[in-house]
Amino acid sequence: MEKFEIKEIKTKTLKDTIYVSLKEIILNNNFPTEEFITENSLAQKLNVSRTPLREAMQDLVKEDLIKFRPRKGYKVKIHSDKEVDQIFLLRFVIEKEIITPLFKNITPEKIEVLKEIVEKQKETVAN
């Protein structure tokens, strides 16, 4: 069989679009942090129905980016300094375990392949 490249067809649902949009808002510190925001008011601001909004918000709750309180709404989850320290420690331990075996297998040819991949990614982002 011949090798050929083909791009995957991806369709985004409204829930996916809402999720990506809200996650970006949260990660850029543009989501209310002091008060709860209701599903109705958020749906109106985004001009979407509540069902896909609710599904997107549930995913954000699962990721621990926001918290939900019945009859109150949603609010950004503020992590304590201790939690942030634990997250960075965990990442350090995991990444160290992943990187160490990689150094044993890396060759100049593989580095060139990785550079090509990075260049393709940069082109894709630019387009």
Side-chain angles (χ1 to χ4, degrees), residues 21-126:
S21 195
L22 286 174
K23 186 171 183 175
E24 185 178 318
I25 290 168
I26 292 167
L27 293 177
N28 288 319
N29 293 323
N30 294 323
F31 198 87
T33 55
E34 298 302 317
E35 72 275 350
F36 284 91
I37 185 165
T38 66
E39 209 169 81
N40 282 336
S41 66
L42 198 50
Q44 286 176 353
K45 285 180 192 271
L46 295 172
N47 196 26
V48 296
S49 63
R50 288 176 50 201
T51 301
L53 172 68
R54 186 178 306 118
E55 292 171 358
M57 296 303 274
Q58 288 170 351
D59 287 349
L60 293 167
V61 169
K62 287 177 194 171
E63 286 189 31
D64 210 23
L65 292 174
I66 59 173
K67 57 185 174 181
F68 172 72
R69 295 286 180 261
R71 293 181 292 285
K72 280 194 166 192
Y74 299 93
K75 186 176 179 182
V76 170
K77 173 121 190 251
I78 305 297
H79 295 281
S80 69
D81 290 342
K82 184 177 178 181
E83 288 173 314
V84 172
D85 289 343
Q86 288 175 345
I87 291 167
F88 278 103
L89 176 62
L90 183 59
R91 282 195 61 175
F92 173 77
V93 170
I94 292 170
E95 290 171 5
K96 182 179 173 196
E97 290 300 314
I98 292 170
I99 289 174
T100 303
L102 290 177
F103 284 126
K104 294 175 185 174
N105 297 323
I106 199 75
T107 64
E109 294 80 22
K110 290 180 181 178
I111 291 174
E112 287 305 314
V113 171
L114 289 173
K115 286 180 180 179
E116 289 173 18
I117 291 170
V118 169
E119 285 306 313
K120 284 182 182 178
Q121 290 175 340
K122 287 180 182 178
E123 290 172 17
T124 302
V125 168

